[in-house]
Amino acid sequence: MGTGAPPRRWDELEQMAARIQQGERARGQKDFWAFIWPGASGEGLTCNALEWQISEGGGRVIEADGTISVNNPDAIRSWQRAAHWIGWISPPSVTSLQEWDAINAFYYAGTSAFFRGWARSYLLSVRDIPSIRDKIGITSVPEGKNSQAATLGGFGLGLSRSSRHITEALQLIRFLIHREIKLEEARSDYESRNWPELYDPTAILRTRQNSADHGKQ
């Protein structure tokens, strides 16, 4: 691992985090914790735990043949390692941090070196703030002894493989998400002034109400 390179493995992250934390505290930052991640019960922690588990060879909870494989030594060891971070390189309060709590602790408080988050969170929160943007970088989730694993969060529309009307279903999905995509594209351009709806909360509420009304039909 070259000087200045991000950690590629979990053990490298631990070593770098411990070293950075020790140095920052020696300089007077007594509240510096090197590794921040969403540890409260929720989607963020579930995604983290799956990445730890799979990267250490702990299986996929339910395998392709329907076998329940999660109760195995590799999965358990991966979670025990994460538990060891608490109070060492992660603050004791990490188990109460939701995703946005962790974002605030990392991006704005400036009292941590590493943060497990989502690229989307970065794009929505700090990409256009030069004082923060120019001090951070994004890299892949570290790998374990087995592989590198990264979960995909969020939600979306799906299409059944057994559908008899695939073409029509795809057309419906495109229709349903077309407007949302256009609004997201416009929001991502902070210089855009061509979409009054972006700055009119009544229009946003009206759109949500229309969606709710359609759902009741």
Side-chain angles (χ1 to χ4, degrees):
M1 181 174 66
T3 303
R8 295 185 303 169
R9 301 190 306 271
W10 287 114
D11 59 346
E12 289 180 353
L13 184 144
E14 290 176 339
Q15 295 166 12
M16 293 174 68
R19 186 167 62 250
I20 293 170
Q21 181 172 297
Q22 182 180 13
E24 292 298 322
R25 290 187 177 183
R27 282 191 283 269
Q29 284 211 65
K30 302 303 182 181
D31 59 346
F32 190 95
W33 293 94
F35 185 28
I36 298 292
W37 39 280
S41 178
E43 179 187 9
L45 179 59
T46 300
C47 291
N48 287 338
L50 285 171
E51 291 169 352
W52 303 331
Q53 170 187 327
I54 294 173
S55 69
E56 289 298 318
R60 305 173 64 89
V61 182
I62 302 177
E63 303 304 326
D65 61 358
T67 304
I68 307 298
S69 64
V70 69
N71 187 16
N72 66 80
D74 290 324
I76 294 170
R77 185 178 61 253
S78 73
W79 301 330
Q80 289 175 333
R81 178 181 60 196
H84 179 58
W85 295 337
I86 302 170
W88 174 36
I89 57 176
S90 299
S93 62
V94 74
T95 55
S96 67
L97 297 182
Q98 298 288 347
E99 183 176 351
W100 285 105
D101 298 321
I103 287 173
N104 288 334
F106 176 72
Y107 288 126
Y108 298 103
T111 55
S112 61
F114 299 105
F115 164 60
R116 166 59 181 98
W118 306 94
R120 179 177 174 84
S121 300
Y122 162 76
L123 292 173
L124 290 177
S125 54
V126 301
R127 182 191 61 179
D128 299 322
I129 306 176
S131 61
I132 300 175
R133 178 193 63 204
D134 298 339
K135 295 181 181 179
I136 63 176
I138 298 176
T139 189
S140 301
V141 176
E143 64 183 44
K145 71 169 189 177
N146 184 65
S147 63
Q148 191 268 350
T151 55
L152 177 63
F155 57 90
L157 298 171
L159 173 58
S160 172
R161 184 180 300 174
S162 61
S163 172
R164 297 181 180 180
H165 304 282
I166 292 178
T167 300
E168 294 83 357
L170 286 173
Q171 290 176 345
L172 175 60
I173 291 174
R174 292 191 183 103
F175 170 77
L176 292 173
I177 66 175
H178 173 77
R179 186 66 175 173
E180 181 178 352
I181 289 176
K182 290 298 183 182
L183 288 172
E184 287 292 335
E185 290 175 348
R187 286 192 183 96
S188 68
D189 179 7
Y190 68 97
E191 294 181 348
S192 175
R193 297 294 183 271
N194 300 320
W195 288 75
E197 292 164 87
L198 299 181
Y199 313 100
D200 180 6
T202 59
I204 297 174
L205 292 173
R206 185 165 57 251
T207 300
R208 290 181 176 176
Q209 183 59 52
N210 290 338
S211 298
D213 292 340
H214 284 304
K216 295 176 182 178
Q217 294 177 359

